[in-house]
Amino acid sequence: MPSYKTPLKDIQFVFNELLDYPSHYERLKGCAEASSDLVDAVLNEAAKFSEEVLSPLNRVGDQEGCTWTPEGVIAPTGFKEAYKQYVDNGWPLLSVPEALGGQGLPSSLSMAVTEAVSTANVSWSGYPGLSQGAIKTLIEHGTDWQRDVLLPKLVSGEWTGTMCLTESHCGSDLGQLRTRALPQEDGSYAITGTKIFISSGDHDMADNIVHIVLARLPDAPAGTAGISLFAVPKFNVSDAGGIADRNGVKCGSIEHKMGIHGFATCVMNFEDAKGYLIGEPNKGLACMFTFMNHARLATGMQGLVHSEIAYQGAIPYAHDRLAMRSLSGPKNPDGPADPIIVHPDVRRLLLTIKAITEGCRALSYYTAQQLDLSEYGESEETRKQAESLLALITPICKGFMTELGLEAASHGVQVFGGHGYISEWGMEQNMRDSRISTLYEGTTGIQSLDLLGRKVLGSGGKLLQPLLAEISHYCEGLSTNADMQEFVAPLQDAVQTWQEVSMQAGAAAMENPEEVGAASVDYLMISGYTLFAYLWARMAQVAQQQISAGEGDETFYQGKVHTARFYFQRLLPRVATHKATLASGADNLMAMPEACFALN
């Protein structure tokens, strides 16, 4: 089982050299304290906590899992103590506004901490992770009482939060949900219904849990237009913020899952539970998107998490494992065989994992910059531009990065051969843990429909054009740079493809609405590979400049250039396949009669 080591060197490369976070933070309103020294101190402390406290609990969580009891769910051994240390050290306060008792640092810095915490122990990280979405939801949409009474304990981490959407009969089709909310004389609501797949729905790590719940009022219209949002605490809360009697919400059971065993996934039963309306009646889904978009970005980062785990496991093994001789002659003549890292197919696996990992990191922090700008941008125009770009790339981050993270996890198993299938090495756990990332917070198909249907076609291309213009402008600026043409030329081709398939999908949808669904996943993948190409070109450019200047670690920068070359020559060509598949249309999917889908 690999012990996690925070990749501080690559994180700092992305922060300081690729995306110039020091200048970025200087331009943000009210974030002047986020100096380079402070950022380094935060990252170093996060690395220490992740490596020394959370990483040793990773296998414990997988083997022991959570325990259901009639009184509540018990987290794996050591999880509660680690959470107390996390709270005592002030980590939940990092990016919470100072007016609410937080440290007021940018969200991007909190995301960097999340990377370290999640990679060290993805199951444990889910417990505090959901709270951030609950906090943002109450900040933006909550009443004064909710912000005064519920928020302080959520902000401090003394309480945690959940997101209660799904029901057994409707899955992601929330228009079918049946949980009801009856108005009470004191202004509260009695919530009754059952929610499933509720992440961290119950546990013993915090004193209270605030559930953010979708439900229907008695006079609500059908469908998504009749959904309201409520805050429902596990224990009732006094006006002074103290814990009172047990509310009518309990965990009926926990799911037995493929992976993330240490993370409680619960069936939650609400029986006349006291809840408080968030936002306006029947406008709950709009409010809930504040939570959902935060969760989707966090889930997208799990693609980075699982690829990093695969890389940290595969690299040492590939250096140490001796098997067969190199096709070009012995590379370890004094040993019985050569290390497997000399074999081309193992190199293919390792370079794919590396390209995915570092590409995911670059895209994660590129997105995090937009999140900062949407919250702390100098002008309203800057904030709106960032919000628009976030709207476009959030489904790409969630859908594309998790699909590639799953691929990287699979390659991590493959590097180990038969040993990868054995639990002691940790690669099979990573494979199991990674599978859920493409499913929860909206499957890849749902993210793809959101991207193509709502964000691109729904905006008439207005959300997409600024990003395409940014990439094109970057390419134009390198038109005379001979060293960069191996990256710039294929990037320009990918941008042109992205534009072409956007127009093709729009034209086809006008003839047949099914074409949007048929094209959407291929469209998402084209979008993701092109965005990766943009960021890998930028990484290669920075690395080339450092090598030419004779500055820094030349081996590190050479690795960047070689990996960029591998990405452009081996992975970016996948765009052509997705383009051809997309162009084939919906008929090959929809023409076959349903009766043909039968078990013989």
Side-chain angles (χ1 to χ4, degrees):
M1 188 75 181
S3 296
Y4 173 65
K5 183 68 176 176
T6 309
L8 287 173
K9 190 168 190 175
D10 200 57
I11 292 173
Q12 289 167 337
F13 167 80
V14 174
F15 257 67
N16 299 326
E17 299 179 64
L18 177 66
L19 299 176
D20 192 11
Y21 262 90
S23 296
H24 166 71
Y25 285 152
E26 288 178 2
R27 293 192 297 269
L28 299 178
K29 292 172 61 176
C31 295
E33 292 185 8
S35 65
S36 296
D37 288 343
L38 177 62
V39 169
D40 287 344
V42 168
L43 292 177
N44 281 313
E45 286 301 312
K48 182 178 179 182
F49 176 73
S50 299
E51 294 165 14
E52 297 179 3
V53 178
L54 297 182
S55 182
L57 297 174
N58 183 41
R59 194 172 185 188
V60 173
D62 184 59
Q63 294 181 327
E64 186 177 312
C66 298
T67 304
W68 182 90
T69 74
E71 292 74 33
V73 176
I74 300 172
T77 301
F79 273 42
K80 183 176 182 178
E81 292 75 14
Y83 184 73
K84 184 179 185 303
Q85 187 172 340
Y86 179 82
V87 172
D88 289 346
N89 290 343
W91 290 112
L93 301 170
L94 197 66
S95 60
V96 175
E98 290 182 286
L100 296 173
Q103 298 177 29
L105 293 170
S107 294
S108 55
L109 185 54
S110 182
M111 287 184 70
V113 173
T114 297
E115 179 192 339
V117 167
S118 298
T119 316
N121 193 326
V122 67
S123 288
W124 184 94
S125 70
Y127 293 99
L130 270 295
S131 298
Q132 296 305 310
I135 290 168
K136 289 182 180 295
T137 302
L138 291 178
I139 289 174
E140 292 195 27
H141 308 291
T143 65
D144 289 342
W145 182 87
Q146 291 163 8
R147 285 191 287 263
D148 291 342
V149 175
L150 301 181
L151 260 183
K153 296 294 180 64
L154 283 169
V155 165
S156 69
E158 295 171 74
W159 299 354
T160 61
T162 74
M163 176 170 58
C164 297
L165 286 71
T166 306
E167 300 177 10
S168 59
H169 57 280
C170 64
S172 297
D173 185 3
L174 297 175
Q176 296 188 57
L177 70 83
R178 299 169 185 161
T179 299
R180 64 183 187 271
L182 298 179
Q184 304 297 295
E185 291 184 0
D186 63 358
S188 66
Y189 295 80
I191 312 297
T192 299
T194 297
K195 300 287 185 178
I196 66 167
F197 300 158
I198 306 308
S199 298
S200 67
D202 197 60
H203 55 80
D204 61 342
M205 292 165 57
D207 295 334
N208 203 359
I209 301 171
V210 178
H211 302 285
I212 307 298
V213 184
L214 289 177
R216 291 188 183 281
L217 295 169
D219 58 350
T224 56
I227 298 175
S228 299
L229 189 62
F230 301 86
V232 184
K234 175 179 178 179
F235 291 95
N236 286 311
V237 181
S238 69
D239 288 342
I243 292 177
D245 59 323
R246 180 67 185 263
N247 202 358
V249 52
K250 290 188 176 181
C251 175
S253 64
I254 55 176
E255 304 293 351
H256 302 282
K257 300 172 299 187
M258 179 180 181
I260 55 170
H261 294 158
F263 189 39
T265 304
C266 304
V267 174
M268 300 302 301
N269 296 320
F270 297 83
E271 299 179 6
D272 292 328
K274 178 175 281 191
Y276 307 92
L277 181 68
I278 300 173
E280 298 179 27
N282 303 325
K283 302 293 184 183
L285 198 56
C287 297
M288 196 61 163
F289 267 106
T290 299
F291 201 142
M292 291 169 66
N293 284 331
H294 180 274
R296 285 173 175 176
L297 287 174
T299 304
M301 184 173 271
Q302 289 186 16
L304 165 59
V305 164
H306 294 297
S307 56
E308 178 66 39
I309 293 169
Y311 194 65
Q312 293 200 16
I315 289 296
Y317 187 84
H319 280 292
D320 295 340
R321 175 69 169 175
L322 304 181
M324 299 180 289
R325 290 296 185 188
S326 167
L327 295 174
S328 58
K331 301 297 185 291
N332 178 35
D334 295 331
D338 290 330
I340 63 172
I341 199 169
V342 307
H343 302 312
D345 192 58
V346 174
R347 289 291 187 102
R348 174 184 65 85
L349 297 170
L350 295 176
L351 277 164
T352 301
I353 300 170
K354 180 175 169 64
I356 289 172
T357 303
E358 295 172 15
C360 281
R361 182 168 294 116
L363 180 54
S364 293
Y365 295 132
Y366 174 81
T367 307
Q369 277 194 334
Q370 306 310 314
L371 188 59
D372 287 345
L373 290 169
S374 72
E375 295 173 337
Y376 301 108
E378 292 180 304
S379 66
E380 183 177 357
E381 181 182 2
T382 297
R383 293 190 291 273
K384 286 184 176 179
Q385 288 174 347
E387 288 172 0
S388 295
L389 185 52
L390 271 176
L392 176 74
I393 61 179
T394 292
I396 301 175
C397 288
K398 198 296 181 180
F400 179 74
M401 291 206 306
T402 56
E403 288 289 344
L404 263 62
L406 178 62
E407 178 184 346
S410 178
H411 287 337
V413 173
Q414 195 76 8
V415 169
F416 281 76
H419 288 283
Y421 203 65
I422 295 171
S423 61
E424 65 188 271
W425 293 98
M427 293 296 97
E428 63 86 30
Q429 179 190 336
N430 187 43
M431 183 74 187
R432 288 185 288 106
D433 287 349
S434 70
R435 191 63 186 88
I436 186 59
S437 65
T438 67
L439 304 175
Y440 58 9
E441 309 310 334
T443 63
T444 303
I446 288 174
Q447 302 303 322
S448 301
L449 280 172
D450 180 42
L451 173 64
L452 179 56
R454 294 182 68 244
K455 304 299 172 56
V456 177
L457 300 183
S459 72
K462 290 181 180 178
L463 288 181
L464 177 61
Q465 289 308 314
L467 178 57
L468 295 180
E470 176 184 329
I471 301 174
S472 297
H473 179 73
Y474 171 77
C475 292
E476 290 167 4
L478 294 172
S479 60
T480 59
N481 187 328
D483 292 337
M484 283 295 296
Q485 292 314 298
E486 63 175 308
F487 308 119
V488 170
L491 174 56
Q492 288 175 315
D493 290 342
V495 170
Q496 183 175 349
T497 296
W498 198 355
Q499 290 176 313
E500 289 176 358
V501 296
S502 299
M503 294 176 9
Q504 290 170 3
M510 293 178 68
E511 299 293 328
N512 179 7
E514 298 284 12
E515 293 288 350
V516 178
S520 61
V521 172
D522 289 298
Y523 185 87
L524 173 87
M525 301 307 286
I526 290 170
S527 305
Y529 283 120
T530 304
L531 260 180
F532 260 37
Y534 171 46
L535 293 166
W536 264 115
R538 290 176 59 177
M539 285 189 275
Q541 181 188 12
V542 171
Q544 286 181 349
Q545 290 170 343
Q546 294 295 85
I547 292 170
S548 297
E551 297 180 357
D553 184 343
E554 183 175 355
T555 301
F556 174 83
Y557 293 121
Q558 285 178 339
K560 287 290 180 188
V561 175
H562 283 293
T563 308
R565 189 168 290 130
F566 170 86
Y567 178 82
F568 274 86
Q569 295 179 6
R570 287 270 183 162
L571 299 185
L572 185 60
R574 295 178 181 182
V575 165
T577 300
H578 287 292
K579 178 183 178 182
T581 306
L582 183 152
S584 72
D587 284 350
N588 52 33
L589 301 177
M590 307 306 294
M592 190 167 85
E594 290 183 23
C596 295
F597 290 95
L599 299 177
N600 297 318

